[in-house]
Amino acid sequence: MEPLDELDPLATVFPEEDAPLQGLPPLGGSPPARPSRRESPVPATRVPFPLDPVLAPVFRDFEQSGVRWCLLGLPEERSQGADEEVVVLVDRSAFATARRVLKANGFAPIPTWGRGPLARFIGYNPRGDRWVILDVATRLAYGPNAELETGAEGGCLERRRWEGGVYVLGADDAFWTLLLHVLLDDPTLLGARPPVFAKTLERLAVEARTEGPVGRVVASFLPERWSTEILVDCVWDGDWDALERLAPLLAAVWARAQEGAARRRDLANRALRRFSARRLLPQPRGLSVALLGPEPAAKAALAAELGRTFYLPVTFMRMSAPPRSRGGKLTRAWLFVTLVTFWHRYLTGRQRRGKGRLVIFDRYTYDYRLPPAKPARALGKLRRLILGRACPAPDVVVVLDDPTPPKVRKLRPDVPYESVRQRYLDLAQRLPDAIVLEAPGSHEASDEASEVPSMDTEHLRREITAQLWRVYAAAPPTSWLLRLGGLLQR
């Protein structure tokens, strides 16, 4: 059933998050019995594949935007909390549209230097608390450096089939693409005994044909005394030693046939990988967050949880002002020293952000925009005005609203807690695009005896991760090299 034949199938094929997808057993598992190759295969039950729910709106928007796509390789069941990894083949002419669709659905592009026609996008599922890795391929290329092109992606998209709620490769194309991956991409895949994907290949060999687009490409590059029929027989009979001997011969013949282009792709991708390993190319862009709230313990606990689970590495930076007096005397240069301290820590955070880190600023300069607890003189108001606007605005401002007062307050215990809380809420109204989240009680957040975070802290961490990643995905790339890389991948 095609997804746009009627009005109803979209709701059935792409269930909402409250109706999770039901998975199939792993495709690499042992089949009940090996059928005869002369028998026609029994059609599989059309049960939805175990895809993460955050991918459903992406694929639905692909259909509505006219993007031709299909999965490269079938997904398998994963353990709870494990990252989901999916590879999708997309029509090269529709890559820009697919990129906009992914960005609108909260998937952030991550640079993948030297991986050929693969573009990586990362999304976050707060309900499952896991990261979804979506690799978008615009061409079918093989080899350690993606130097061997097939040119068969258009034919594969024409022959795709609708099964289990997604578009997948035809059984014939799925066999040849997986076999080429095993033979050409990584020598260790065939070196293992039994080889990786062995059972999956044996299962797909039932429907393997030689007249498909990928099969014809393989036939044109096979060395003497080899044919596609012999290849299928070797897979069916489990003759992995013969396939292991064939792999370097097939790669050599293929490289000679595409002599100039294959050499250029190999050198370019190899160089990009070396430059990326030495950090000479732009890393994933970072994000800066100002974490505001009346209770320091809740902010520290949340920052620790984000450092443990966030996709980007996290830097926690406390922008505390130096003490105002030394030996009982007010330091006249306190304002200047404070400004220098703020800018030093702010620039340090900007440097870490430029290296692709999530920088969490605690006690940001916005704290000086709070109205003072006691009436201040004109000079004091001027100081707060200067310090409250001393540093530029971060990418995101998060205000933790904790309605439960802590048992012990180390910061200004003489000021009523509800008064401080209300001042932060008023500040959030004045700051543009500030995110207000209800924090758990500080007695739960600061419980050092418990190594497992409470349910409230866990829920808060998932919510703030989803909010931050949505902002991160919506921001444009900060480097012209990243934008150029996106154009080259088309």
Side-chain angles (χ1 to χ4, degrees), residues 191-234:
R193 289 295 184 269
V196 181
F197 305 119
K199 293 186 181 299
T200 305
L201 281 171
E202 292 174 1
R203 192 175 190 176
L204 292 172
V206 179
E207 299 186 65
R209 303 292 183 268
T210 60
E211 64 274 6
V214 187
R216 290 196 300 269
V217 172
V218 174
S220 64
F221 295 130
L222 283 174
E224 294 182 0
R225 300 181 183 179
W226 278 90
S227 66
T228 50
E229 290 81 4
I230 296 177
L231 263 178
V232 176
D233 288 337
C234 287

mmCIF file of all heavy atoms in Angstrom, residues 191-234:
data_model
loop_
_atom_site.group_PDB
_atom_site.id
_atom_site.type_symbol
_atom_site.label_atom_id
_atom_site.label_comp_id
_atom_site.label_asym_id
_atom_site.label_seq_id
_atom_site.Cartn_x
_atom_site.Cartn_y
_atom_site.Cartn_z
ATOM 1 N N GLY A 191 36.560 -11.308 7.477
ATOM 2 C CA GLY A 191 37.547 -12.078 8.216
ATOM 3 C C GLY A 191 36.974 -12.785 9.422
ATOM 4 O O GLY A 191 37.528 -13.791 9.873
ATOM 5 N N ALA A 192 35.860 -12.298 9.960
ATOM 6 C CA ALA A 192 35.254 -12.945 11.129
ATOM 7 C C ALA A 192 34.613 -14.264 10.712
ATOM 8 O O ALA A 192 34.155 -14.435 9.583
ATOM 9 C CB ALA A 192 34.213 -12.027 11.758
ATOM 10 N N ARG A 193 34.564 -15.183 11.621
ATOM 11 C CA ARG A 193 33.916 -16.478 11.349
ATOM 12 C C ARG A 193 32.940 -16.802 12.465
ATOM 13 O O ARG A 193 33.349 -16.982 13.606
ATOM 14 C CB ARG A 193 34.959 -17.609 11.229
ATOM 15 C CG ARG A 193 35.797 -17.531 9.957
ATOM 16 C CD ARG A 193 34.918 -17.739 8.718
ATOM 17 N NE ARG A 193 35.710 -17.754 7.484
ATOM 18 C CZ ARG A 193 35.981 -16.696 6.759
ATOM 19 N NH1 ARG A 193 35.536 -15.504 7.153
ATOM 20 N NH2 ARG A 193 36.688 -16.789 5.653
ATOM 21 N N PRO A 194 31.613 -16.871 12.192
ATOM 22 C CA PRO A 194 30.987 -16.613 10.894
ATOM 23 C C PRO A 194 31.032 -15.119 10.569
ATOM 24 O O PRO A 194 31.045 -14.287 11.467
ATOM 25 C CB PRO A 194 29.549 -17.091 11.099
ATOM 26 C CG PRO A 194 29.304 -16.940 12.545
ATOM 27 C CD PRO A 194 30.621 -17.224 13.215
ATOM 28 N N PRO A 195 31.045 -14.779 9.283
ATOM 29 C CA PRO A 195 31.144 -13.366 8.919
ATOM 30 C C PRO A 195 29.936 -12.569 9.397
ATOM 31 O O PRO A 195 28.834 -13.099 9.564
ATOM 32 C CB PRO A 195 31.206 -13.405 7.386
ATOM 33 C CG PRO A 195 31.583 -14.806 7.041
ATOM 34 C CD PRO A 195 31.025 -15.664 8.124
ATOM 35 N N VAL A 196 30.180 -11.265 9.608
ATOM 36 C CA VAL A 196 29.080 -10.376 9.947
ATOM 37 C C VAL A 196 28.110 -10.330 8.769
ATOM 38 O O VAL A 196 28.519 -10.356 7.615
ATOM 39 C CB VAL A 196 29.629 -8.976 10.268
ATOM 40 C CG1 VAL A 196 28.505 -8.026 10.654
ATOM 41 C CG2 VAL A 196 30.666 -9.054 11.375
ATOM 42 N N PHE A 197 26.822 -10.280 9.055
ATOM 43 C CA PHE A 197 25.745 -10.224 8.058
ATOM 44 C C PHE A 197 25.622 -11.526 7.256
ATOM 45 O O PHE A 197 24.973 -11.542 6.217
ATOM 46 C CB PHE A 197 25.945 -9.056 7.072
ATOM 47 C CG PHE A 197 26.085 -7.722 7.711
ATOM 48 C CD1 PHE A 197 27.237 -6.977 7.556
ATOM 49 C CD2 PHE A 197 25.069 -7.208 8.487
ATOM 50 C CE1 PHE A 197 27.372 -5.738 8.149
ATOM 51 C CE2 PHE A 197 25.192 -5.967 9.091
ATOM 52 C CZ PHE A 197 26.347 -5.241 8.921
ATOM 53 N N ALA A 198 26.270 -12.621 7.695
ATOM 54 C CA ALA A 198 26.201 -13.861 6.924
ATOM 55 C C ALA A 198 24.764 -14.365 6.802
ATOM 56 O O ALA A 198 24.300 -14.700 5.706
ATOM 57 C CB ALA A 198 27.086 -14.924 7.576
ATOM 58 N N LYS A 199 24.058 -14.418 7.912
ATOM 59 C CA LYS A 199 22.693 -14.939 7.871
ATOM 60 C C LYS A 199 21.765 -14.022 7.094
ATOM 61 O O LYS A 199 20.847 -14.478 6.411
ATOM 62 C CB LYS A 199 22.183 -15.151 9.299
ATOM 63 C CG LYS A 199 22.911 -16.253 10.054
ATOM 64 C CD LYS A 199 22.276 -16.504 11.391
ATOM 65 C CE LYS A 199 23.039 -17.601 12.148
ATOM 66 N NZ LYS A 199 23.038 -18.888 11.429
ATOM 67 N N THR A 200 21.994 -12.717 7.192
ATOM 68 C CA THR A 200 21.164 -11.786 6.433
ATOM 69 C C THR A 200 21.388 -11.966 4.938
ATOM 70 O O THR A 200 20.443 -11.955 4.144
ATOM 71 C CB THR A 200 21.478 -10.342 6.839
ATOM 72 O OG1 THR A 200 21.333 -10.215 8.254
ATOM 73 C CG2 THR A 200 20.549 -9.370 6.149
ATOM 74 N N LEU A 201 22.647 -12.140 4.525
ATOM 75 C CA LEU A 201 22.935 -12.354 3.106
ATOM 76 C C LEU A 201 22.321 -13.660 2.608
ATOM 77 O O LEU A 201 21.772 -13.724 1.504
ATOM 78 C CB LEU A 201 24.447 -12.359 2.881
ATOM 79 C CG LEU A 201 25.128 -10.989 2.827
ATOM 80 C CD1 LEU A 201 26.641 -11.147 2.821
ATOM 81 C CD2 LEU A 201 24.663 -10.217 1.606
ATOM 82 N N GLU A 202 22.420 -14.712 3.404
ATOM 83 C CA GLU A 202 21.813 -15.983 3.005
ATOM 84 C C GLU A 202 20.306 -15.842 2.849
ATOM 85 O O GLU A 202 19.695 -16.430 1.951
ATOM 86 C CB GLU A 202 22.145 -17.057 4.036
ATOM 87 C CG GLU A 202 23.619 -17.441 4.068
ATOM 88 C CD GLU A 202 23.930 -18.396 5.199
ATOM 89 O OE1 GLU A 202 22.978 -18.762 5.935
ATOM 90 O OE2 GLU A 202 25.106 -18.766 5.366
ATOM 91 N N ARG A 203 19.711 -15.038 3.709
ATOM 92 C CA ARG A 203 18.267 -14.843 3.631
ATOM 93 C C ARG A 203 17.885 -14.063 2.374
ATOM 94 O O ARG A 203 16.896 -14.374 1.707
ATOM 95 C CB ARG A 203 17.816 -14.090 4.885
ATOM 96 C CG ARG A 203 16.340 -14.040 5.121
ATOM 97 C CD ARG A 203 16.084 -13.377 6.466
ATOM 98 N NE ARG A 203 14.705 -13.505 6.878
ATOM 99 C CZ ARG A 203 14.253 -13.082 8.042
ATOM 100 N NH1 ARG A 203 15.088 -12.506 8.886
ATOM 101 N NH2 ARG A 203 12.991 -13.229 8.367
ATOM 102 N N LEU A 204 18.671 -13.021 2.041
ATOM 103 C CA LEU A 204 18.367 -12.225 0.864
ATOM 104 C C LEU A 204 18.743 -12.925 -0.431
ATOM 105 O O LEU A 204 18.244 -12.553 -1.504
ATOM 106 C CB LEU A 204 19.113 -10.885 0.942
ATOM 107 C CG LEU A 204 18.656 -9.922 2.036
ATOM 108 C CD1 LEU A 204 19.605 -8.720 2.120
ATOM 109 C CD2 LEU A 204 17.235 -9.450 1.787
ATOM 110 N N ALA A 205 19.638 -13.916 -0.366
ATOM 111 C CA ALA A 205 20.062 -14.611 -1.585
ATOM 112 C C ALA A 205 18.909 -15.355 -2.251
ATOM 113 O O ALA A 205 18.988 -15.684 -3.439
ATOM 114 C CB ALA A 205 21.195 -15.586 -1.267
ATOM 115 N N VAL A 206 17.836 -15.615 -1.508
ATOM 116 C CA VAL A 206 16.682 -16.306 -2.098
ATOM 117 C C VAL A 206 16.107 -15.495 -3.246
ATOM 118 O O VAL A 206 15.677 -16.044 -4.273
ATOM 119 C CB VAL A 206 15.610 -16.556 -1.012
ATOM 120 C CG1 VAL A 206 14.384 -17.240 -1.602
ATOM 121 C CG2 VAL A 206 16.184 -17.376 0.121
ATOM 122 N N GLU A 207 16.115 -14.155 -3.120
ATOM 123 C CA GLU A 207 15.516 -13.294 -4.136
ATOM 124 C C GLU A 207 16.556 -12.572 -4.981
ATOM 125 O O GLU A 207 16.225 -11.622 -5.697
ATOM 126 C CB GLU A 207 14.604 -12.260 -3.469
ATOM 127 C CG GLU A 207 13.451 -12.873 -2.693
ATOM 128 C CD GLU A 207 12.494 -11.820 -2.166
ATOM 129 O OE1 GLU A 207 11.850 -11.141 -2.986
ATOM 130 O OE2 GLU A 207 12.415 -11.672 -0.941
ATOM 131 N N ALA A 208 17.828 -12.972 -4.898
ATOM 132 C CA ALA A 208 18.876 -12.284 -5.649
ATOM 133 C C ALA A 208 18.731 -12.552 -7.140
ATOM 134 O O ALA A 208 18.551 -13.695 -7.568
ATOM 135 C CB ALA A 208 20.251 -12.739 -5.169
ATOM 136 N N ARG A 209 18.765 -11.488 -7.934
ATOM 137 C CA ARG A 209 18.702 -11.581 -9.392
ATOM 138 C C ARG A 209 19.901 -10.828 -9.967
ATOM 139 O O ARG A 209 20.566 -10.066 -9.279
ATOM 140 C CB ARG A 209 17.400 -10.978 -9.930
ATOM 141 C CG ARG A 209 16.135 -11.599 -9.354
ATOM 142 C CD ARG A 209 15.950 -13.047 -9.829
ATOM 143 N NE ARG A 209 14.699 -13.592 -9.324
ATOM 144 C CZ ARG A 209 14.580 -14.268 -8.192
ATOM 145 N NH1 ARG A 209 15.658 -14.422 -7.405
ATOM 146 N NH2 ARG A 209 13.424 -14.761 -7.808
ATOM 147 N N THR A 210 20.156 -11.024 -11.219
ATOM 148 C CA THR A 210 21.321 -10.413 -11.854
ATOM 149 C C THR A 210 20.961 -9.281 -12.801
ATOM 150 O O THR A 210 21.855 -8.599 -13.303
ATOM 151 C CB THR A 210 22.101 -11.477 -12.638
ATOM 152 O OG1 THR A 210 21.239 -12.047 -13.646
ATOM 153 C CG2 THR A 210 22.594 -12.573 -11.714
ATOM 154 N N GLU A 211 19.656 -9.048 -13.034
ATOM 155 C CA GLU A 211 19.276 -8.029 -14.018
ATOM 156 C C GLU A 211 18.986 -6.682 -13.374
ATOM 157 O O GLU A 211 18.616 -5.725 -14.077
ATOM 158 C CB GLU A 211 18.049 -8.484 -14.819
ATOM 159 C CG GLU A 211 16.775 -8.647 -13.998
ATOM 160 C CD GLU A 211 16.667 -10.023 -13.365
ATOM 161 O OE1 GLU A 211 17.635 -10.803 -13.474
ATOM 162 O OE2 GLU A 211 15.613 -10.323 -12.771
ATOM 163 N N GLY A 212 19.135 -6.547 -12.069
ATOM 164 C CA GLY A 212 18.884 -5.285 -11.399
ATOM 165 C C GLY A 212 19.999 -4.276 -11.649
ATOM 166 O O GLY A 212 21.070 -4.608 -12.199
ATOM 167 N N PRO A 213 19.803 -2.997 -11.252
ATOM 168 C CA PRO A 213 20.830 -1.971 -11.510
ATOM 169 C C PRO A 213 22.146 -2.252 -10.806
ATOM 170 O O PRO A 213 23.215 -2.076 -11.395
ATOM 171 C CB PRO A 213 20.173 -0.683 -11.007
ATOM 172 C CG PRO A 213 19.082 -1.113 -10.087
ATOM 173 C CD PRO A 213 18.611 -2.434 -10.590
ATOM 174 N N VAL A 214 22.102 -2.704 -9.552
ATOM 175 C CA VAL A 214 23.346 -2.986 -8.837
ATOM 176 C C VAL A 214 23.960 -4.286 -9.335
ATOM 177 O O VAL A 214 25.188 -4.401 -9.468
ATOM 178 C CB VAL A 214 23.095 -3.036 -7.315
ATOM 179 C CG1 VAL A 214 24.411 -3.150 -6.562
ATOM 180 C CG2 VAL A 214 22.338 -1.802 -6.844
ATOM 181 N N GLY A 215 23.123 -5.272 -9.627
ATOM 182 C CA GLY A 215 23.637 -6.536 -10.141
ATOM 183 C C GLY A 215 24.377 -6.361 -11.451
ATOM 184 O O GLY A 215 25.418 -7.002 -11.682
ATOM 185 N N ARG A 216 23.875 -5.499 -12.322
ATOM 186 C CA ARG A 216 24.556 -5.272 -13.598
ATOM 187 C C ARG A 216 25.902 -4.575 -13.386
ATOM 188 O O ARG A 216 26.877 -4.857 -14.083
ATOM 189 C CB ARG A 216 23.666 -4.430 -14.507
ATOM 190 C CG ARG A 216 22.441 -5.167 -15.017
ATOM 191 C CD ARG A 216 21.819 -4.439 -16.199
ATOM 192 N NE ARG A 216 21.400 -3.083 -15.855
ATOM 193 C CZ ARG A 216 20.188 -2.770 -15.409
ATOM 194 N NH1 ARG A 216 19.280 -3.731 -15.252
ATOM 195 N NH2 ARG A 216 19.875 -1.518 -15.126
ATOM 196 N N VAL A 217 25.974 -3.651 -12.424
ATOM 197 C CA VAL A 217 27.243 -2.989 -12.131
ATOM 198 C C VAL A 217 28.258 -4.001 -11.607
ATOM 199 O O VAL A 217 29.428 -4.005 -12.019
ATOM 200 C CB VAL A 217 27.030 -1.847 -11.120
ATOM 201 C CG1 VAL A 217 28.358 -1.275 -10.652
ATOM 202 C CG2 VAL A 217 26.175 -0.746 -11.719
ATOM 203 N N VAL A 218 27.838 -4.882 -10.710
ATOM 204 C CA VAL A 218 28.746 -5.892 -10.169
ATOM 205 C C VAL A 218 29.234 -6.808 -11.279
ATOM 206 O O VAL A 218 30.426 -7.148 -11.357
ATOM 207 C CB VAL A 218 28.045 -6.687 -9.051
ATOM 208 C CG1 VAL A 218 28.928 -7.828 -8.579
ATOM 209 C CG2 VAL A 218 27.687 -5.778 -7.883
ATOM 210 N N ALA A 219 28.329 -7.201 -12.170
ATOM 211 C CA ALA A 219 28.716 -8.106 -13.263
ATOM 212 C C ALA A 219 29.759 -7.470 -14.174
ATOM 213 O O ALA A 219 30.642 -8.157 -14.700
ATOM 214 C CB ALA A 219 27.473 -8.499 -14.062
ATOM 215 N N SER A 220 29.703 -6.148 -14.358
ATOM 216 C CA SER A 220 30.641 -5.488 -15.263
ATOM 217 C C SER A 220 32.045 -5.390 -14.687
ATOM 218 O O SER A 220 33.007 -5.184 -15.445
ATOM 219 C CB SER A 220 30.128 -4.096 -15.610
ATOM 220 O OG SER A 220 30.087 -3.274 -14.443
ATOM 221 N N PHE A 221 32.200 -5.551 -13.371
ATOM 222 C CA PHE A 221 33.515 -5.407 -12.749
ATOM 223 C C PHE A 221 34.070 -6.721 -12.215
ATOM 224 O O PHE A 221 35.149 -6.726 -11.610
ATOM 225 C CB PHE A 221 33.452 -4.400 -11.598
ATOM 226 C CG PHE A 221 33.126 -3.000 -12.034
ATOM 227 C CD1 PHE A 221 32.134 -2.278 -11.408
ATOM 228 C CD2 PHE A 221 33.804 -2.422 -13.081
ATOM 229 C CE1 PHE A 221 31.824 -0.991 -11.812
ATOM 230 C CE2 PHE A 221 33.503 -1.130 -13.491
ATOM 231 C CZ PHE A 221 32.513 -0.414 -12.863
ATOM 232 N N LEU A 222 33.393 -7.818 -12.405
ATOM 233 C CA LEU A 222 33.881 -9.091 -11.891
ATOM 234 C C LEU A 222 35.088 -9.558 -12.702
ATOM 235 O O LEU A 222 35.119 -9.400 -13.933
ATOM 236 C CB LEU A 222 32.778 -10.143 -11.944
ATOM 237 C CG LEU A 222 31.698 -10.065 -10.865
ATOM 238 C CD1 LEU A 222 30.606 -11.074 -11.119
ATOM 239 C CD2 LEU A 222 32.304 -10.264 -9.480
ATOM 240 N N PRO A 223 36.092 -10.150 -12.044
ATOM 241 C CA PRO A 223 37.241 -10.700 -12.791
ATOM 242 C C PRO A 223 36.853 -11.945 -13.578
ATOM 243 O O PRO A 223 35.720 -12.435 -13.494
ATOM 244 C CB PRO A 223 38.255 -11.013 -11.686
ATOM 245 C CG PRO A 223 37.444 -11.167 -10.444
ATOM 246 C CD PRO A 223 36.254 -10.278 -10.589
ATOM 247 N N GLU A 224 37.796 -12.452 -14.352
ATOM 248 C CA GLU A 224 37.524 -13.626 -15.178
ATOM 249 C C GLU A 224 37.166 -14.825 -14.306
ATOM 250 O O GLU A 224 37.612 -14.955 -13.172
ATOM 251 C CB GLU A 224 38.744 -13.954 -16.037
ATOM 252 C CG GLU A 224 39.067 -12.893 -17.080
ATOM 253 C CD GLU A 224 40.250 -13.287 -17.930
ATOM 254 O OE1 GLU A 224 40.807 -14.387 -17.691
ATOM 255 O OE2 GLU A 224 40.628 -12.505 -18.825
ATOM 256 N N ARG A 225 36.339 -15.704 -14.895
ATOM 257 C CA ARG A 225 35.859 -16.943 -14.258
ATOM 258 C C ARG A 225 34.895 -16.678 -13.110
ATOM 259 O O ARG A 225 34.574 -17.595 -12.353
ATOM 260 C CB ARG A 225 37.030 -17.796 -13.761
ATOM 261 C CG ARG A 225 37.990 -18.211 -14.866
ATOM 262 C CD ARG A 225 39.102 -19.072 -14.293
ATOM 263 N NE ARG A 225 40.075 -19.437 -15.322
ATOM 264 C CZ ARG A 225 41.152 -20.171 -15.110
ATOM 265 N NH1 ARG A 225 41.421 -20.616 -13.866
ATOM 266 N NH2 ARG A 225 41.983 -20.455 -16.091
ATOM 267 N N TRP A 226 34.448 -15.438 -12.985
ATOM 268 C CA TRP A 226 33.446 -15.115 -11.979
ATOM 269 C C TRP A 226 32.209 -14.557 -12.674
ATOM 270 O O TRP A 226 32.311 -13.912 -13.719
ATOM 271 C CB TRP A 226 33.963 -14.080 -10.987
ATOM 272 C CG TRP A 226 34.818 -14.661 -9.893
ATOM 273 C CD1 TRP A 226 36.161 -14.829 -9.911
ATOM 274 C CD2 TRP A 226 34.363 -15.138 -8.637
ATOM 275 N NE1 TRP A 226 36.595 -15.385 -8.753
ATOM 276 C CE2 TRP A 226 35.502 -15.590 -7.937
ATOM 277 C CE3 TRP A 226 33.122 -15.247 -8.029
ATOM 278 C CZ2 TRP A 226 35.429 -16.128 -6.664
ATOM 279 C CZ3 TRP A 226 33.047 -15.782 -6.751
ATOM 280 C CH2 TRP A 226 34.197 -16.227 -6.081
ATOM 281 N N SER A 227 31.063 -14.813 -12.094
ATOM 282 C CA SER A 227 29.793 -14.282 -12.589
ATOM 283 C C SER A 227 28.904 -13.997 -11.389
ATOM 284 O O SER A 227 29.180 -14.433 -10.263
ATOM 285 C CB SER A 227 29.120 -15.267 -13.548
ATOM 286 O OG SER A 227 28.743 -16.451 -12.851
ATOM 287 N N THR A 228 27.839 -13.270 -11.633
ATOM 288 C CA THR A 228 26.927 -12.971 -10.529
ATOM 289 C C THR A 228 26.255 -14.242 -10.006
ATOM 290 O O THR A 228 25.961 -14.342 -8.812
ATOM 291 C CB THR A 228 25.868 -11.968 -11.000
ATOM 292 O OG1 THR A 228 25.287 -12.428 -12.225
ATOM 293 C CG2 THR A 228 26.482 -10.597 -11.233
ATOM 294 N N GLU A 229 26.005 -15.209 -10.894
ATOM 295 C CA GLU A 229 25.407 -16.473 -10.427
ATOM 296 C C GLU A 229 26.349 -17.205 -9.477
ATOM 297 O O GLU A 229 25.917 -17.769 -8.458
ATOM 298 C CB GLU A 229 25.070 -17.375 -11.623
ATOM 299 C CG GLU A 229 23.918 -16.885 -12.483
ATOM 300 C CD GLU A 229 24.341 -15.804 -13.463
ATOM 301 O OE1 GLU A 229 25.566 -15.506 -13.511
ATOM 302 O OE2 GLU A 229 23.476 -15.262 -14.159
ATOM 303 N N ILE A 230 27.644 -17.201 -9.792
ATOM 304 C CA ILE A 230 28.610 -17.845 -8.902
ATOM 305 C C ILE A 230 28.665 -17.111 -7.561
ATOM 306 O O ILE A 230 28.780 -17.735 -6.490
ATOM 307 C CB ILE A 230 29.989 -17.888 -9.571
ATOM 308 C CG1 ILE A 230 29.946 -18.750 -10.831
ATOM 309 C CG2 ILE A 230 31.046 -18.417 -8.604
ATOM 310 C CD1 ILE A 230 31.266 -18.786 -11.592
ATOM 311 N N LEU A 231 28.574 -15.788 -7.600
ATOM 312 C CA LEU A 231 28.559 -15.022 -6.355
ATOM 313 C C LEU A 231 27.392 -15.423 -5.466
ATOM 314 O O LEU A 231 27.545 -15.638 -4.260
ATOM 315 C CB LEU A 231 28.478 -13.532 -6.679
ATOM 316 C CG LEU A 231 29.771 -12.728 -6.707
ATOM 317 C CD1 LEU A 231 29.493 -11.286 -7.098
ATOM 318 C CD2 LEU A 231 30.438 -12.758 -5.350
ATOM 319 N N VAL A 232 26.206 -15.510 -6.074
ATOM 320 C CA VAL A 232 25.023 -15.882 -5.290
ATOM 321 C C VAL A 232 25.177 -17.287 -4.736
ATOM 322 O O VAL A 232 24.826 -17.563 -3.575
ATOM 323 C CB VAL A 232 23.755 -15.750 -6.154
ATOM 324 C CG1 VAL A 232 22.535 -16.238 -5.383
ATOM 325 C CG2 VAL A 232 23.553 -14.301 -6.592
ATOM 326 N N ASP A 233 25.736 -18.199 -5.537
ATOM 327 C CA ASP A 233 25.925 -19.575 -5.061
ATOM 328 C C ASP A 233 26.917 -19.627 -3.900
ATOM 329 O O ASP A 233 26.734 -20.398 -2.946
ATOM 330 C CB ASP A 233 26.421 -20.459 -6.204
ATOM 331 C CG ASP A 233 25.326 -20.737 -7.238
ATOM 332 O OD1 ASP A 233 24.139 -20.641 -6.861
ATOM 333 O OD2 ASP A 233 25.666 -21.021 -8.393
ATOM 334 N N CYS A 234 27.968 -18.793 -3.956
ATOM 335 C CA CYS A 234 28.933 -18.780 -2.849
ATOM 336 C C CYS A 234 28.276 -18.310 -1.556
ATOM 337 O O CYS A 234 28.540 -18.849 -0.474
ATOM 338 C CB CYS A 234 30.113 -17.883 -3.209
ATOM 339 S SG CYS A 234 31.233 -18.580 -4.439
#
